[in-house]
PDB file of all heavy atoms in Angstrom:
ATOM      1  N   ARG L1323      -3.800 -12.923  -9.459  1.00 94.00           N
ATOM      2  CA  ARG L1323      -2.347 -12.828  -9.459  1.00 94.00           C
ATOM      3  C   ARG L1323      -1.901 -11.382  -9.254  1.00 94.00           C
ATOM      4  O   ARG L1323      -0.860 -11.120  -8.639  1.00 94.00           O
ATOM      5  CB  ARG L1323      -1.762 -13.385 -10.757  1.00 94.00           C
ATOM      6  CG  ARG L1323      -2.186 -14.824 -11.036  1.00 94.00           C
ATOM      7  CD  ARG L1323      -1.758 -15.778  -9.909  1.00 94.00           C
ATOM      8  NE  ARG L1323      -2.421 -17.070 -10.022  1.00 94.00           N
ATOM      9  CZ  ARG L1323      -2.006 -18.053 -10.775  1.00 94.00           C
ATOM     10  NH1 ARG L1323      -0.904 -17.921 -11.496  1.00 94.00           N
ATOM     11  NH2 ARG L1323      -2.663 -19.189 -10.800  1.00 94.00           N
ATOM     12  N   SER L1356      -0.367 -19.654  -3.017  1.00 96.00           N
ATOM     13  CA  SER L1356       0.394 -19.890  -4.251  1.00 96.00           C
ATOM     14  C   SER L1356       0.705 -21.365  -4.462  1.00 96.00           C
ATOM     15  O   SER L1356       1.036 -21.780  -5.575  1.00 96.00           O
ATOM     16  CB  SER L1356       1.691 -19.068  -4.242  1.00 96.00           C
ATOM     17  OG  SER L1356       2.556 -19.463  -3.199  1.00 96.00           O
ATOM     18  N   TRP L1359      -1.140 -22.746  -7.338  1.00 95.00           N
ATOM     19  CA  TRP L1359      -0.927 -22.209  -8.694  1.00 95.00           C
ATOM     20  C   TRP L1359      -0.209 -23.261  -9.540  1.00 95.00           C
ATOM     21  O   TRP L1359       0.994 -23.172  -9.796  1.00 95.00           O
ATOM     22  CB  TRP L1359      -0.102 -20.931  -8.635  1.00 95.00           C
ATOM     23  CG  TRP L1359      -0.751 -19.795  -7.898  1.00 95.00           C
ATOM     24  CD1 TRP L1359      -2.023 -19.747  -7.420  1.00 95.00           C
ATOM     25  CD2 TRP L1359      -0.141 -18.555  -7.545  1.00 95.00           C
ATOM     26  NE1 TRP L1359      -2.251 -18.544  -6.791  1.00 95.00           N
ATOM     27  CE2 TRP L1359      -1.115 -17.796  -6.855  1.00 95.00           C
ATOM     28  CE3 TRP L1359       1.120 -18.012  -7.734  1.00 95.00           C
ATOM     29  CZ2 TRP L1359      -0.857 -16.516  -6.369  1.00 95.00           C
ATOM     30  CZ3 TRP L1359       1.379 -16.745  -7.252  1.00 95.00           C
ATOM     31  CH2 TRP L1359       0.400 -16.001  -6.584  1.00 95.00           C
ATOM     32  N   ASP L1360      -0.942 -24.230  -9.997  1.00 93.00           N
ATOM     33  CA  ASP L1360      -0.309 -25.301 -10.780  1.00 93.00           C
ATOM     34  C   ASP L1360       0.310 -24.792 -12.069  1.00 93.00           C
ATOM     35  O   ASP L1360       1.227 -25.418 -12.619  1.00 93.00           O
ATOM     36  CB  ASP L1360      -1.346 -26.386 -11.094  1.00 93.00           C
ATOM     37  CG  ASP L1360      -1.784 -27.129  -9.847  1.00 93.00           C
ATOM     38  OD1 ASP L1360      -0.996 -27.163  -8.875  1.00 93.00           O
ATOM     39  OD2 ASP L1360      -2.912 -27.653  -9.826  1.00 93.00           O
ATOM     40  N   ASP L1361      -0.203 -23.658 -12.582  1.00 93.00           N
ATOM     41  CA  ASP L1361       0.339 -23.101 -13.823  1.00 93.00           C
ATOM     42  C   ASP L1361       1.565 -22.236 -13.593  1.00 93.00           C
ATOM     43  O   ASP L1361       2.177 -21.747 -14.543  1.00 93.00           O
ATOM     44  CB  ASP L1361      -0.737 -22.276 -14.534  1.00 93.00           C
ATOM     45  CG  ASP L1361      -1.224 -21.107 -13.680  1.00 93.00           C
ATOM     46  OD1 ASP L1361      -1.197 -21.235 -12.431  1.00 93.00           O
ATOM     47  OD2 ASP L1361      -1.633 -20.080 -14.235  1.00 93.00           O
ATOM     48  N   ASP L1362       1.928 -22.022 -12.326  1.00 94.00           N
ATOM     49  CA  ASP L1362       3.053 -21.118 -12.042  1.00 94.00           C
ATOM     50  C   ASP L1362       3.814 -21.580 -10.801  1.00 94.00           C
ATOM     51  O   ASP L1362       3.868 -20.875  -9.791  1.00 94.00           O
ATOM     52  CB  ASP L1362       2.524 -19.688 -11.863  1.00 94.00           C
ATOM     53  CG  ASP L1362       3.641 -18.659 -11.773  1.00 94.00           C
ATOM     54  OD1 ASP L1362       4.804 -19.011 -12.056  1.00 94.00           O
ATOM     55  OD2 ASP L1362       3.350 -17.498 -11.421  1.00 94.00           O
ATOM     56  N   PRO L1363       4.419 -22.764 -10.857  1.00 95.00           N
ATOM     57  CA  PRO L1363       5.159 -23.245  -9.675  1.00 95.00           C
ATOM     58  C   PRO L1363       6.379 -22.389  -9.353  1.00 95.00           C
ATOM     59  O   PRO L1363       6.815 -22.343  -8.206  1.00 95.00           O
ATOM     60  CB  PRO L1363       5.568 -24.668 -10.073  1.00 95.00           C
ATOM     61  CG  PRO L1363       5.546 -24.672 -11.564  1.00 95.00           C
ATOM     62  CD  PRO L1363       4.452 -23.733 -11.962  1.00 95.00           C
ATOM     63  N   GLY L1364       6.930 -21.685 -10.342  1.00 95.00           N
ATOM     64  CA  GLY L1364       8.105 -20.852 -10.086  1.00 95.00           C
ATOM     65  C   GLY L1364       7.813 -19.730  -9.104  1.00 95.00           C
ATOM     66  O   GLY L1364       8.623 -19.438  -8.216  1.00 95.00           O
ATOM     67  N   SER L1365       6.647 -19.105  -9.252  1.00 96.00           N
ATOM     68  CA  SER L1365       6.277 -18.038  -8.313  1.00 96.00           C
ATOM     69  C   SER L1365       6.077 -18.605  -6.917  1.00 96.00           C
ATOM     70  O   SER L1365       6.470 -17.987  -5.913  1.00 96.00           O
ATOM     71  CB  SER L1365       5.002 -17.327  -8.787  1.00 96.00           C
ATOM     72  OG  SER L1365       5.254 -16.577  -9.948  1.00 96.00           O
ATOM     73  N   HIS L1366       5.455 -19.787  -6.844  1.00 96.00           N
ATOM     74  CA  HIS L1366       5.296 -20.399  -5.513  1.00 96.00           C
ATOM     75  C   HIS L1366       6.650 -20.703  -4.898  1.00 96.00           C
ATOM     76  O   HIS L1366       6.847 -20.519  -3.690  1.00 96.00           O
ATOM     77  CB  HIS L1366       4.477 -21.680  -5.616  1.00 96.00           C
ATOM     78  CG  HIS L1366       4.391 -22.435  -4.319  1.00 96.00           C
ATOM     79  ND1 HIS L1366       3.899 -21.864  -3.161  1.00 96.00           N
ATOM     80  CD2 HIS L1366       4.769 -23.706  -3.982  1.00 96.00           C
ATOM     81  CE1 HIS L1366       3.970 -22.744  -2.174  1.00 96.00           C
ATOM     82  NE2 HIS L1366       4.499 -23.860  -2.649  1.00 96.00           N
ATOM     83  N   ALA L1367       7.602 -21.156  -5.707  1.00 96.00           N
ATOM     84  CA  ALA L1367       8.941 -21.449  -5.183  1.00 96.00           C
ATOM     85  C   ALA L1367       9.552 -20.208  -4.546  1.00 96.00           C
ATOM     86  O   ALA L1367      10.120 -20.269  -3.443  1.00 96.00           O
ATOM     87  CB  ALA L1367       9.843 -21.969  -6.302  1.00 96.00           C
ATOM     88  N   ARG L1399      10.067 -28.127 -10.367  1.00 95.00           N
ATOM     89  CA  ARG L1399       9.184 -28.025 -11.538  1.00 95.00           C
ATOM     90  C   ARG L1399       9.495 -26.790 -12.374  1.00 95.00           C
ATOM     91  O   ARG L1399       9.341 -26.815 -13.602  1.00 95.00           O
ATOM     92  CB  ARG L1399       7.725 -27.974 -11.079  1.00 95.00           C
ATOM     93  CG  ARG L1399       7.246 -29.232 -10.366  1.00 95.00           C
ATOM     94  CD  ARG L1399       5.846 -29.033  -9.812  1.00 95.00           C
ATOM     95  NE  ARG L1399       4.906 -28.661 -10.867  1.00 95.00           N
ATOM     96  CZ  ARG L1399       3.729 -28.078 -10.625  1.00 95.00           C
ATOM     97  NH1 ARG L1399       3.382 -27.787  -9.376  1.00 95.00           N
ATOM     98  NH2 ARG L1399       2.934 -27.770 -11.625  1.00 95.00           N
ATOM     99  N   ALA L1400       9.894 -25.704 -11.729  1.00 95.00           N
ATOM    100  CA  ALA L1400      10.189 -24.449 -12.438  1.00 95.00           C
ATOM    101  C   ALA L1400      11.354 -23.791 -11.708  1.00 95.00           C
ATOM    102  O   ALA L1400      11.160 -23.048 -10.754  1.00 95.00           O
ATOM    103  CB  ALA L1400       8.970 -23.530 -12.457  1.00 95.00           C
ATOM    104  N   ARG L1402      14.219 -21.772  -9.932  1.00 95.00           N
ATOM    105  CA  ARG L1402      14.508 -20.387  -9.564  1.00 95.00           C
ATOM    106  C   ARG L1402      15.818 -20.429  -8.778  1.00 95.00           C
ATOM    107  O   ARG L1402      15.859 -20.274  -7.574  1.00 95.00           O
ATOM    108  CB  ARG L1402      13.381 -19.796  -8.710  1.00 95.00           C
ATOM    109  CG  ARG L1402      12.043 -19.653  -9.430  1.00 95.00           C
ATOM    110  CD  ARG L1402      12.114 -18.642 -10.561  1.00 95.00           C
ATOM    111  NE  ARG L1402      10.819 -18.402 -11.186  1.00 95.00           N
ATOM    112  CZ  ARG L1402      10.332 -19.076 -12.212  1.00 95.00           C
ATOM    113  NH1 ARG L1402      11.051 -20.077 -12.725  1.00 95.00           N
ATOM    114  NH2 ARG L1402       9.164 -18.788 -12.732  1.00 95.00           N
TER     115      ARG L1402
END
Side-chain angles (χ1 to χ4, degrees):
R1323 304 301 167 84
S1356 64
W1359 297 352
D1360 292 335
D1361 61 330
D1362 189 11
S1365 291
H1366 174 57
R1399 296 174 57 199
R1402 295 294 185 270

